[in-house]
Amino acid sequence: MDKLRIKGGSRLEGRVRISGAKNSALPAMAASVLTAEEVTLDNIPLVNDIFTTRRLLRELGVAVEFEGDHSVRLRAEKILSHEAPYDLVKTMRASVLVLGPLLGRTGRARVSLPGGCAIGARPINLHIKGLEKLGATVHTEHGYVEACSDRLKGAEIVFDKITVTGTENLMMAAALADGQTVLQNAACEPEIVDLAEMLKKMGARIQGAGTPTITIHGVQELHGTSHRIIPDRIEAGTFLVAGAMTHGELELIDSNPGHLASVIEKLRETGVNIETAAGRVKILGNGNLKSADVITSEYPGFATDMQAQYMALTTQTTGTSMITENIFENRFMHASELMRMGANIRIDGSRAIITGKTRLSGATVIASDLRASASLVLAALVAEGHTLIDRVYHLDRGYEKIEEKLQSVGAEIERLK
Ligand code: EPZ
């Protein structure tokens, strides 16, 4: 397994191009199942979850060809299989995103239940409940969800809890249903809006994406399209924290500051200077970071996917910060590894109390999930000496060439194969 070796202490300076959003590209690729015509997606991040999705779609019979720089052509002329197998779903739970499109297009789907994950139980009961509301017959057996329906029928669905992929699955299923569907308490993330924009280009009739109420008028058929994926706001947020922690000067290009408002506001509260312009964000770190509490919540609140990175930052702020994690019940796995590097952190249920500023020292640490691994990279950038991060396959799932991007702005980082 690859490892990353990082020598801390460099001040980061320069420009970083932000890749396309993983959490937008995954549902967009799944949406290709909804039509027999060709779909082209640009600004696709070349990360492992994308390659897992390619494998999954090919299993269903979708032709998937990467071309040029960050583009992919997809064509689901004929669906040859309705099954998302356990072997793939267990490596990437976002595989459940083929459930809605398969059911909408073919009336049949067999998708492995994802099972638990490092950050929480993460059931898909709300996806299933929504599909049943659309008239599907759903049962789970032998670890699989089996769903079928002659044709889905529009309905009113009120989500008990805001769910990102649940909203995406139901939006895709409802696009080919008979009649009108209204999703209430829907997720408002930018990735939902991006998917809706793509579906509308395919002929779907959708209003209200980006608000808690989304209305979908089903159509008989969808056609092909070309779509450019939005920038990755979590990758951009990660680099902003890197700039803040190293007191550096970074300019992020091909990013969308509008999607980062709560992160930018929080970082400004800690004392860093951030300038924004169309498609760009610039951070000028300074030596005196001060503590600030944060509570994770659904968009437009502070993203849970930025919580681990923010925790790394709070180890370098003066004072005590409290982080409250409200989305996932087990998302502090990175804390114990940060403590191995010298951080002063106390976990109390869904709260973490971090006392800073502490001197971090390099150590051998283990990544437990995608964003936890990003926080270890950030801590290593300011730690004394060398840090060795193990299991970086977690990082590769969602960050494109992170060590090359960090090297290009002055970090001493190398991948040990
Ligand atoms: C998406 O996951 C993202 N993944 C996650 O990013 C992100 O952390 C999460 O949204 C929250 O923002 C993708 O978009 C591929 P949820 P998702 O359904 O859709 C509970 C990353 O680092 N829930 O919004 O799976 C659930 O347990 C990843 O890139 C149910 O109880 O998250 C959680 O507590 C990690 N039943 C909460 O809702 C359901 O049927 C929010 O989960 C569905 C969800």
Side-chain angles (χ1 to χ4, degrees):
M1 271 189 269
D2 289 8
K3 295 179 172 52
L4 282 178
R5 189 162 179 271
I6 302 170
K7 182 167 181 302
S10 311
R11 180 174 182 273
L12 301 188
E13 268 185 281
R15 277 191 176 172
V16 176
R17 195 193 85 80
I18 297 301
S19 300
K22 166 185 78 83
N23 290 347
S24 188
L26 298 178
M29 290 176 75
S32 68
V33 169
L34 289 166
T35 176
E37 295 181 14
E38 184 171 276
V39 167
T40 305
L41 299 173
D42 295 324
N43 203 28
I44 291 280
L46 302 180
V47 297
N48 287 348
D49 276 8
I50 296 291
F51 302 128
T52 306
T53 305
R54 171 175 60 182
R55 271 181 61 203
L56 171 62
L57 292 175
R58 283 185 172 160
E59 296 234 348
L60 303 180
V62 185
V64 185
E65 294 309 328
F66 282 84
E67 57 177 31
D69 192 16
H70 297 93
S71 295
V72 63
R73 267 187 306 130
L74 308 114
R75 186 161 195 163
E77 204 158 351
K78 219 170 168 319
I79 301 295
L80 303 176
S81 160
H82 298 81
E83 182 169 320
Y86 175 65
D87 286 348
L88 285 176
V89 178
K90 77 173 183 215
T91 63
M92 183 191 71
R93 42 181 324 103
S95 308
V96 296
L97 283 165
V98 298
L99 183 54
L102 277 173
L103 205 50
R105 166 100 183 266
T106 71
R108 267 181 63 200
R110 184 170 195 270
V111 173
S112 168
L113 280 166
C117 137
I119 65 177
R122 303 183 74 180
I124 58 166
N125 56 315
L126 302 176
H127 301 231
I128 294 170
K129 204 171 156 194
L131 293 172
E132 285 174 332
K133 272 264 170 144
L134 294 180
T137 310
V138 185
H139 66 275
T140 53
E141 203 173 51
H142 307 302
Y144 279 78
V145 178
E146 305 248 3
C148 64
S149 144
D150 294 338
R151 181 165 183 213
L152 297 174
K153 198 156 180 16
E156 171 136 7
I157 296 167
V158 184
F159 287 108
D160 300 336
K161 207 172 175 179
I162 295 174
T163 160
V164 174
T165 49
T167 301
E168 292 164 346
N169 244 332
L170 271 300
M171 201 161 64
M172 291 191 277
L176 287 174
D178 177 17
Q180 173 180 295
T181 296
V182 180
L183 303 180
Q184 300 277 15
N185 198 28
C188 304
E189 270 66 6
E191 295 76 26
I192 304 270
V193 177
D194 201 30
L195 177 64
E197 287 310 309
M198 176 194 170
L199 292 171
K200 284 194 266 185
K201 284 189 225 168
M202 295 168 73
R205 296 172 53 204
I206 302 175
Q207 284 131 1
T211 78
T213 304
I214 303 176
T215 305
I216 304 121
H217 294 273
V219 295
Q220 278 291 342
E221 218 175 27
L222 293 170
H223 50 73
T225 191
S226 297
H227 183 69
R228 184 177 173 79
I229 297 294
I230 57 173
D232 196 313
R233 62 193 165 98
I234 307 300
E235 183 195 22
T238 304
F239 276 97
L240 286 180
V241 172
M245 288 179 73
T246 62
H247 314 316
E249 190 168 330
L250 287 180
E251 185 172 17
L252 310 184
I253 55 175
D254 289 353
S255 62
N256 182 335
H259 294 164
L260 282 161
S262 58
V263 173
I264 290 174
E265 194 182 316
K266 189 52 64 180
L267 290 176
R268 283 181 172 146
E269 216 181 303
T270 67
V272 294
N273 184 0
I274 295 182
E275 296 160 9
T276 63
R280 289 161 187 268
V281 190
K282 193 171 180 178
I283 185 163
L284 291 114
N286 70 47
N288 310 314
L289 296 172
K290 49 186 194 292
S291 61
D293 298 349
V294 81
I295 299 172
T296 67
S297 68
E298 296 86 0
Y299 192 87
F302 191 94
T304 173
D305 293 348
M306 278 300 300
Q307 179 257 98
Q309 299 92 315
Y310 187 74
M311 185 183 283
L313 176 90
T314 59
T315 67
Q316 299 307 300
T317 61
T318 307
T320 301
S321 308
M322 179 139 75
I323 296 178
T324 307
E325 173 56 56
N326 279 338
I327 306 293
F328 292 108
E329 65 275 20
N330 186 35
R331 202 167 202 180
F332 287 143
M333 300 281 279
H334 39 283
S336 49
E337 296 302 297
L338 291 172
M339 284 191 252
R340 294 193 68 256
M341 298 176 75
N344 179 344
I345 305 172
R346 193 164 56 79
I347 303 295
D348 176 12
S350 64
R351 293 205 171 116
I353 294 101
I354 306 97
T355 305
K357 167 178 181 159
T358 46
R359 190 178 66 76
L360 298 181
S361 56
T364 300
V365 291
I366 297 181
S368 53
D369 62 80
L370 170 58
R371 308 304 171 183
S373 38
S375 84
L376 299 179
V377 170
L378 295 168
L381 290 172
V382 299
E384 280 168 26
H386 287 91
T387 297
L388 197 62
I389 305 178
D390 202 349
R391 301 189 189 165
V392 291
Y393 59 83
H394 288 292
L395 200 64
D396 296 335
R397 291 188 53 184
Y399 289 92
E400 182 179 337
K401 298 195 174 102
I402 191 166
E403 74 270 24
E404 287 173 27
K405 290 189 180 186
L406 284 169
Q407 275 162 1
S408 73
V409 289
E412 288 191 56
I413 177 170
E414 58 178 324
R415 178 179 291 259
L416 307 179
K417 289 251 173 245

